Amino acid sequence: FLAASATSTSPSQAIQPVLELPYAAKDAKRAASAVPFQLPTQLISFSYTPDRVLEFNDSSLRYFVDPPRGAQLSYGYDRWVRRPEERGRLDSLLKAWQKFGTERPGVLGEVGVVSWRGVMTKILTAPYEERDDWELNVMLVGGTMYFEEHLSEEKLQSKNDVEPRHRIQMYYGYSFESWCTSESPSPASHSGNPSQPTSDGHPPGWGGDVNTNVQWCSVVKTKLGNTRMVIGGEVDCVRGRYTGKTDNFVELKTSLTIRGASDEARFEKKLIKFYFQSFLLGVPEITVGFRTPSGVLSTVQSFRTIEIPRLVRGKPGAWDPTLCLEWGDRFIRELRDAIDVHSPPDKRNDGNLSDLPVWRVSFSPKVGITVKQLDDAGIMDVEAGDDEQRIGFLPKWYVEYALD
Ligand code: A3P
Ligand code: MG
Ligand code: MG
């Protein structure tokens, strides 16, 4: 399954893959062996303000409250402040990681991977992905691989030009977050008749108008097999008081109300994404709001993240998380090996920073993964697009800090 070949540096020749990993879950003919995954622990957290300013505090942290049944998820749609889709830059995560490293130097040892949680979710669920392809940019700096999702101009544009029907469905997810959270820890649940406005003019239980600039993010350390990883991601809210630990984090999700066996199978299939998204940050609880097609909240059900695999086992929409972990571990090890083998020794570290290679990982559903080294035009494309000075996709300040 592994075809390694020399990287072409001539611009006139197509660049050959340095690694090919074909894969699909149905190809797994034997039981997956268990690759251990260490329980994530939080290193640092940060907030984005309504103006999308990063602050090292917990000002954007939200607290869970029970949402009113019958709540209208389209409420406030016309007041939604929507953050434009961006390229998946690592800058904020790197700022947090640098801050942690400066305040507590050397506590972690060698880290193999630094990534946003969304990218790790895509990697781990790839064996079961049947529809969406994706691409990553990868750099190896001082022994650590950095992963960034690569969005082509075309993909970025289509993510921003969402059809109205899809746009409102997206809003339902954010609106559910508002109905489920408050800005202060309070034992009281949202109550009352959701159609009766309160003194602030909003229906009771409304947690405030949606501004998707606002996010609270947790950066955790964990380990997959022998690879230590630093992963950052958004956490929707906490249940009760915030203690700085992941054990009362809550992930909020919406889904269409289940009306029959085929709906149920569809939901079970979807649970793999919910599961890994939460698992990777150590989020122990996933609260799902089931809604009607027109956005009325009908029921709410909480799942314990660790129990989800057992829930789907043997069902029509079944998936096996051990297979995903084994695949993820193999992907990381073989990617690292391929990069090591194909990196010119003089370009690997110090000296010529601007020559650091950038690798492109491409995933096709039911086919697998290929890895290529980007040529100069590819690197220029990755570096372009914002004001920050970059080496590949990493900010220059970070590469200098990391290799110092
Ligand atoms: P739902 O997941 O409830 O549909 P998250 O669940 O990750 O906290 O994201 C909150 C909401 O953002 C989602 O709510 C969904 O509406 C929207 N969203 C997240 N990822 C998305 C994606 N890849 N495509 C479209 N919408 C997305
Ligand atoms: Mg979220
Ligand atoms: Mg959510």
Side-chain angles (χ1 to χ4, degrees), residues 362-378:
S362 305
F363 167 75
S364 303
K366 300 193 236 180
V367 177
I369 272 169
T370 61
V371 183
K372 293 180 180 184
Q373 184 177 350
L374 288 186
D375 60 12
D376 290 346

Side-chain angles (χ1 to χ4, degrees), residues 210-228:
V210 176
N211 178 341
T212 39
N213 286 303
V214 178
Q215 286 181 301
W216 184 74
C217 294
S218 176
V219 179
V220 303
K221 66 154 182 160
T222 183
K223 204 172 179 186
L224 175 64
N226 291 319
T227 308
R228 206 173 277 128

Side-chain angles (χ1 to χ4, degrees), residues 17 89 147 297:
R89 295 296 195 202
F147 295 165
L297 181 63

